[in-house]
Amino acid sequence: MFRRALAAVLLGGVALAGCTASGTSPDGTVTPSRADELWKQRTDFVGDNSRVIWLTRAAGFGPDGSYTISLQTATKPYGVTITFDTPTDKATDKPFDQTDFASPSTLLLGTIGNLDAVHVKAADRSFDLTAAQATKQLGYDVKTLGRDQKKLTAYVDTLAD
């Protein structure tokens, strides 16, 4: 009896160790990883507002209702502006100046094909990141994140550390 229980625990541990890219829901089904979901929702156009809204949430800007989104689609450079209600991130209670907006902005720039710039605002504070700046920080073209699923997964994995 003890051996069976021990074997079951070890087998479960081995099975879970192999599931780093995805999670398991309470009913036992495998849930897609964050990178898989971002990959599925990527879009070529900043004007695809439903996908841009979804990507903004998934990129990590915070819970729905804590910000508004406006799209600049009339002329180049195409942009997204995320405006927070307060200068404090509601998800983490961090002040604006201590919140990492570079990582979620990089995810947006990578997963929205024609997005040139992300602007984040709250009260009298702002953060801006262009595709050229993100490319320089990454050391490779940020648009690769929307064209190469392995690169996207690798980048998302670095954010989890």
Side-chain angles (χ1 to χ4, degrees):
M1 181 76 151
F2 175 74
R3 285 184 180 173
R4 284 188 187 187
L6 181 60
V9 168
L10 290 174
L11 185 57
V14 170
L16 288 175
C19 295
T20 58
S22 302
T24 305
S25 66
D27 66 359
T29 59
V30 176
T31 57
S33 70
R34 179 179 180 201
D36 290 339
E37 290 297 324
L38 287 162
W39 181 257
K40 281 192 261 182
Q41 293 296 326
R42 72 194 193 286
T43 181
D44 290 332
F45 305 105
V46 72
D48 187 348
N49 64 342
S50 61
R51 289 208 179 196
V52 171
I53 291 167
W54 192 97
L55 287 165
T56 301
R57 182 182 324 116
F61 283 99
D64 290 344
S66 63
Y67 55 84
T68 57
I69 302 170
S70 61
L71 310 177
Q72 293 81 53
T73 60
T75 59
K76 284 189 168 195
Y78 300 122
V80 171
T81 300
I82 299 153
T83 305
F84 286 87
D85 302 333
T86 65
T88 302
D89 181 343
K90 289 184 180 179
T92 62
D93 286 331
K94 286 184 182 177
F96 188 91
D97 295 336
Q98 295 176 11
T99 301
D100 172 27
F101 293 115
S103 299
S105 295
T106 298
L107 284 171
L108 281 186
L109 289 162
T111 56
I112 302 171
N114 70 342
L115 181 61
D116 297 309
V118 176
H119 312 284
V120 183
K121 298 179 180 182
D124 62 344
R125 306 234 182 346
S126 66
F127 170 86
D128 298 297
L129 186 67
T130 66
Q133 291 167 325
T135 293
K136 186 175 180 179
Q137 290 172 359
L138 287 172
Y140 57 86
D141 184 2
V142 70
K143 298 303 178 182
T144 303
L145 298 177
R147 296 188 301 256
D148 183 336
Q149 189 172 7
K150 287 182 182 179
K151 280 272 195 196
L152 177 63
T153 300
Y155 180 72
V156 169
D157 287 348
T158 66
L159 300 178
D161 293 338

